[in-house]
Amino acid sequence: MQKAPNRPKHDVTQSYNDGVVKIYEVKNIAEPGYTPKNGLALRYSLRFDEQRLGINRLYMSRQNQAQILRVLRVQRVKDISPQDVAIVDGRQFKIDTVQSVKDIYPPSLDIALTVTAHEYGVVE
């Protein structure tokens, strides 16, 4: 019988097998001297694990006039923020919250995604 590898502090091992999410920052993509135009520039391409959308999170988001559609767990990176945009399966989502997850190995973040009000052009 094969034993799973021992992780630091015996933390739970997290897999990221549900797909790939691309995190973009919103920035000015206009040529110098022209009217500013917002567009998306790629920051990260991360594998994710889809998390269950809990009833408490769902109702709290509705109280704040936001509708959280998905919660994704990704590996921890330093500078994902709610000002960024996520693209999953060709759909753009606004990042509502970014939360650190404890007692998971490797260190992870939960990203809550909401409907975006504005579709941005993507800069490759």
Side-chain angles (χ1 to χ4, degrees):
M1 182 162 101
Q2 184 177 3
K3 186 176 178 183
N6 191 17
R7 301 292 181 208
K9 301 180 189 173
H10 306 288
D11 292 340
V12 176
T13 301
Q14 178 66 51
S15 64
Y16 305 103
N17 295 331
D18 289 341
V20 176
V21 58
K22 293 185 178 184
I23 307 294
Y24 292 86
E25 72 175 318
V26 178
K27 63 186 261 184
N28 181 12
I29 60 169
E31 296 289 326
Y34 287 89
T35 304
K37 179 181 177 184
N38 287 335
L40 301 177
L42 183 64
R43 295 177 79 185
Y44 299 106
S45 183
L46 303 168
R47 297 194 58 76
F48 70 85
D49 184 44
E50 187 106 23
Q51 296 296 301
R52 184 184 62 174
L53 181 59
I55 196 76
N56 287 339
R57 188 184 304 236
L58 178 66
Y59 283 116
M60 288 178 68
S61 71
R62 287 183 181 171
Q63 287 176 351
N64 294 328
Q65 281 74 39
Q67 184 176 358
I68 294 178
L69 299 177
R70 300 173 86 170
V71 178
L72 307 180
R73 182 165 290 169
V74 298
Q75 275 191 303
R76 189 178 299 164
V77 289
K78 292 186 179 185
D79 53 352
I80 294 178
S81 75
Q83 284 79 31
D84 294 336
V85 173
I87 296 182
V88 182
D89 301 329
R91 285 189 60 197
Q92 288 186 19
F93 296 95
K94 181 182 178 305
I95 295 177
D96 186 59
T97 58
V98 179
Q99 298 174 322
S100 180
V101 182
K102 295 183 179 186
D103 300 328
I104 295 289
Y105 185 84
S108 301
L109 296 172
D110 277 351
I111 301 173
L113 303 177
T114 61
V115 176
T116 183
H118 178 71
E119 294 275 329
Y120 294 98
V122 178
V123 177
E124 296 297 329

